[in-house]
Amino acid sequence: MTTTGDDHTAALTGPWWWERRLGAALDVGLAAVSAAECGAEGIAFAKDAGLPTAVGVGFGVLAGSSLLFRRRWPVAVVLIAIAITPAQMGFLLTIVGLYSLAASELPRRITGALAAMSMAGTLIVALVRASRDLAEEGAHPPIGSEFVPFFAVAAAIGVTAPPVLLGLYVGARRRLMESLRERADDLERELQLLAERAEERAEWARGEERTRIAREMHDVVAHRVSLMVVHAAALQAVARKDPEKAVKNAALVGDMGRQALTELREMLGVLRTGDGGRRAQPVEPVPLAAVGYAAAAAASRAVDEDGPCLAELDELVGQSRAAGMAVDLSVEGEPRGYAADVEQTAYRVVQEALTNVHKHAAGAKTYVRLAHRAAEIAMQVENEPPPEPGSTTDARLPSGGNGLVGMKERVTGLGGVFVSGPTDGGGFRVSAVLPAGVSGVG
């Protein structure tokens, strides 16, 4: 099992240039064996060269000890092995040095050049030694002279090729493992980044869902409650003077309250259920990336199911008229079926605009215009200046300050245009244009 990231860095506990203590111990052991081998072979070298035995042994021990640096300076170790080849010493040094060179990160041309030099040196030494042995055997050598080149080439290849090939394999495998480790680290970082982004998207989706629910609750409650307050104020004013009208206003207040409760119950029912009005069952945790889709779907269901449509616009205007508002409704063009969200948005814009008239311009003449066009649907609610104070009953309706903001969010969310502001005559105008978004059902 391989380590990745910080775990791999923490595993590098060896001294100096060694990654691990085990590697350091191995190199020390190899260097000791190589020094002993070269020291023993240095006795014969000193005898042949006419040098003191101590010099030959010391030279061999020093050359063999260079194997300690095979991981740090593999080129130097191989060059030392090539240099002492004529002295017929350093067999272990040559093999381990070539292996370390091939397994290192050095360019392959350097490995090939040094391996060729080592093979050539071994071949020459083998030829010279075999020829000398043949000369010493006299007239009856154990093998013929024609076999000397064959044995020399075999010895050179046998000493050089196996460690080089093994080193190339080990180096390639090590690089592959390092590449896989780096890819695992990159994948872990990407997964962490994706998790963070998914959490951000989920948080954003939750915020969007809260905003949409708050906007829908505002649209459902504000209009109904505003009309209830207006009717209650009128009821208080005429309770003693006109009992029949008071009874009528009281009935309207009751109807408004029941309608508001019905709409609230429908919306809360959608929010509490999983699908189709059934109680949602506990489910397994889902990935964070799916939270955004779930939130959007819940909000869409809350808007789509049993939502208002333009066919109910006459009833909406009638409710405002019943509350004492002078409302003039005009419709241009031929009505047709629109997408549900388009009809609901258009209805909510008119509803909220009328609610604002009740709040801020009670008793003012109001004009509601709806235009069905080829590629869009336009609506406008404009009220004249409110009458003089005291001419109408003051219902003292509170304002949350979110009506215009909610209308603009609804319209722009469908790619439409929303404009609101005071008129030159002292009134107020709300205008919106929505893409037609004609539904498949005519």
Side-chain angles (χ1 to χ4, degrees):
M1 183 175 180
T2 60
T3 57
T4 60
D6 297 336
D7 295 336
H8 175 67
T9 303
L12 306 181
T13 57
W16 295 339
W17 58 83
W18 286 284
E19 294 182 354
R20 296 177 179 84
R21 297 183 183 275
L22 181 61
L26 176 62
D27 288 356
V28 170
L30 289 174
V33 174
S34 177
E37 177 204 353
C38 292
E41 293 170 343
I43 298 174
F45 168 71
K47 181 180 179 181
D48 294 340
L51 298 173
T53 303
V55 174
V57 173
F59 174 74
V61 170
L62 185 62
S65 300
S66 65
L67 200 59
L68 188 66
F69 308 99
R70 69 182 186 93
R71 299 178 192 265
R72 186 68 179 272
W73 298 296
V75 174
V77 173
V78 173
L79 289 175
I80 292 174
I82 295 173
I84 65 175
T85 299
Q88 300 182 16
M89 64 174 64
F91 178 75
L92 179 62
L93 179 65
T94 301
I95 293 178
V96 178
L98 288 174
Y99 164 81
S100 302
L101 177 67
S104 67
E105 301 296 331
L106 292 172
R108 291 292 164 255
R109 61 179 183 275
I110 296 178
T111 302
L114 291 177
M117 291 173 59
S118 177
M119 180 180 293
T122 304
L123 177 63
I124 294 172
V125 171
L127 283 173
V128 171
R129 184 171 181 178
S131 299
R132 188 181 62 182
D133 291 343
L134 282 175
E136 291 177 355
E137 290 293 337
H140 302 285
I143 59 174
S145 60
E146 65 275 8
F147 293 102
V148 170
F150 173 76
F151 285 111
V153 172
I157 295 176
V159 171
T160 306
V164 171
L165 294 177
L166 180 61
L168 291 175
Y169 166 75
V170 172
R173 183 176 181 275
R174 182 188 302 124
R175 286 187 290 273
L176 176 62
M177 296 303 296
E178 290 176 355
S179 175
L180 293 176
R181 185 182 298 114
E182 291 176 358
R183 291 179 61 182
D185 292 341
D186 293 341
L187 180 60
E188 183 179 357
R189 285 191 292 268
E190 290 178 4
L191 289 176
Q192 184 177 2
L193 182 60
L194 288 175
E196 293 175 356
R197 290 181 177 176
E199 182 65 28
E200 293 176 358
R201 288 196 298 268
E203 185 62 30
W204 174 84
R206 287 191 288 267
E208 286 294 310
E209 183 184 6
R210 287 193 294 268
T211 301
R212 295 182 66 174
I213 292 174
R215 183 168 60 242
E216 190 70 16
M217 296 283 285
H218 175 273
D219 292 342
V220 168
V221 175
H223 181 74
R224 303 292 185 192
V225 174
S226 297
L227 293 179
M228 291 171 62
V229 173
V230 171
H231 282 294
L235 177 61
Q236 182 181 5
V238 301
R240 295 182 180 179
K241 299 179 181 179
D242 192 347
E244 183 178 351
K245 187 175 182 179
V247 171
K248 182 179 179 181
N249 286 342
L252 287 174
V253 171
D255 291 340
M256 293 295 175
R258 282 187 289 273
Q259 292 175 9
L261 288 175
T262 299
E263 292 187 14
L264 283 175
R265 189 179 299 111
E266 291 173 354
M267 179 180 297
L268 294 177
V270 170
L271 295 177
R272 289 195 183 106
T273 56
D275 58 341
R278 293 179 298 175
R279 179 69 63 180
Q281 300 296 328
V283 296
E284 295 296 328
V286 298
L288 289 175
V291 175
Y293 300 105
S300 298
R301 288 195 302 270
V303 175
D304 293 342
E305 296 186 8
D306 300 327
C309 59
L310 291 177
E312 303 174 13
L313 200 59
D314 289 334
E315 181 182 356
L316 177 67
V317 172
Q319 293 172 355
S320 294
R321 287 171 179 165
M325 178 187 295
V327 186
D328 179 33
L329 173 63
S330 63
V331 180
E332 300 176 5
E334 186 67 24
R336 58 189 187 277
Y338 297 98
D341 52 355
V342 173
E343 291 210 19
Q344 292 163 20
T345 299
Y347 180 92
R348 293 302 188 194
V349 168
V350 176
Q351 182 187 55
E352 181 60 29
L354 292 176
T355 301
N356 286 341
V357 175
H358 282 293
K359 291 181 179 179
H360 308 294
K365 176 70 174 178
T366 305
Y367 303 91
V368 179
R369 301 182 180 90
L370 185 67
H372 300 277
R373 300 170 183 169
E376 61 187 19
I377 176 173
M379 66 227 64
Q380 183 182 91
V381 179
E382 180 180 350
N383 63 274
E384 296 178 352
E388 295 296 328
S391 59
T392 59
T393 303
D394 183 12
R396 295 188 297 276
L397 291 169
S399 175
N402 296 317
L404 294 177
V405 175
M407 283 190 283
K408 185 174 182 180
E409 289 177 352
R410 282 181 177 275
V411 173
T412 56
L414 296 179
V417 179
F418 179 83
V419 179
S420 64
T423 62
D424 296 337
F428 198 84
R429 181 187 298 119
V430 172
S431 301
V433 179
L434 292 170
V438 180
S439 65
V441 180

